[in-house]
């Protein structure tokens, strides 16, 4: 929770420096939403790599628990997780953006 908030703040602070210290709440918020979008697009692929390369046993466990074929389990787990990762990144990123923009805006 602290690491993403720090990244959102650093992104907004960089925009503030580019605008020579003048940053409105809306500008900061929109920058945070853009960061959320990038995070939302990249994050699911990190988990795909995790499922396929680092810990494929998770997919096997789902397959056994729900009595699914191997290909169905793998595609379902990965698709659901990618969707959840993207939606979570956008929802929580927007919330982070709204809060952090309040502190990042010019006074």
């Amino acid at each position: 929770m602290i690491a993403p908030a720090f990244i959102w703040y650093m992104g907004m602070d960089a925009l503030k420096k580019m605008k020579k210290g003048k940053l409105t709440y809306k500008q900061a918020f929109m920058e945070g939403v853009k960061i959320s979008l990038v995070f939302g697009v990249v994050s699911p692929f990190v988990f795909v790599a995790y499922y396929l390369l680092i810990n494929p046993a998770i997919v096997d466990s789902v397959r056994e628990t729900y009595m699914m074929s191997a290909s169905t389990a793998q595609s379902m787990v990965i698709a659901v997780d990618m969707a959840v990762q993207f939606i979570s990144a956008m929802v929580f990123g927007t919330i982070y953006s709204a809060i952090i923009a309040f502190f990042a805006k010019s006074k």
Side-chain angles (χ1 to χ4, degrees), residues 12-70:
M12 291 177 196
D13 192 50
L15 180 65
K16 187 175 184 178
K17 287 177 184 172
M18 284 178 26
K19 295 191 170 279
K20 300 185 183 1
K22 297 184 185 218
L23 186 67
T24 66
Y25 177 82
K26 182 179 178 182
Q27 290 170 329
F29 177 74
M30 291 309 295
E31 187 68 14
V33 171
K34 291 175 192 174
I35 294 169
S36 301
L37 183 61
V38 170
F39 183 71
V41 169
V42 172
S43 174
F45 293 104
V46 171
F47 281 90
V48 168
Y50 176 76
Y51 288 141
L52 296 178
L53 305 173
I54 298 170
N55 194 2
I58 290 176
V59 176
D60 293 335
S61 175
V62 170
R63 181 180 52 79
E64 290 172 12
T65 302
Y66 294 105
M67 295 177 266
M68 305 170 100
S69 68

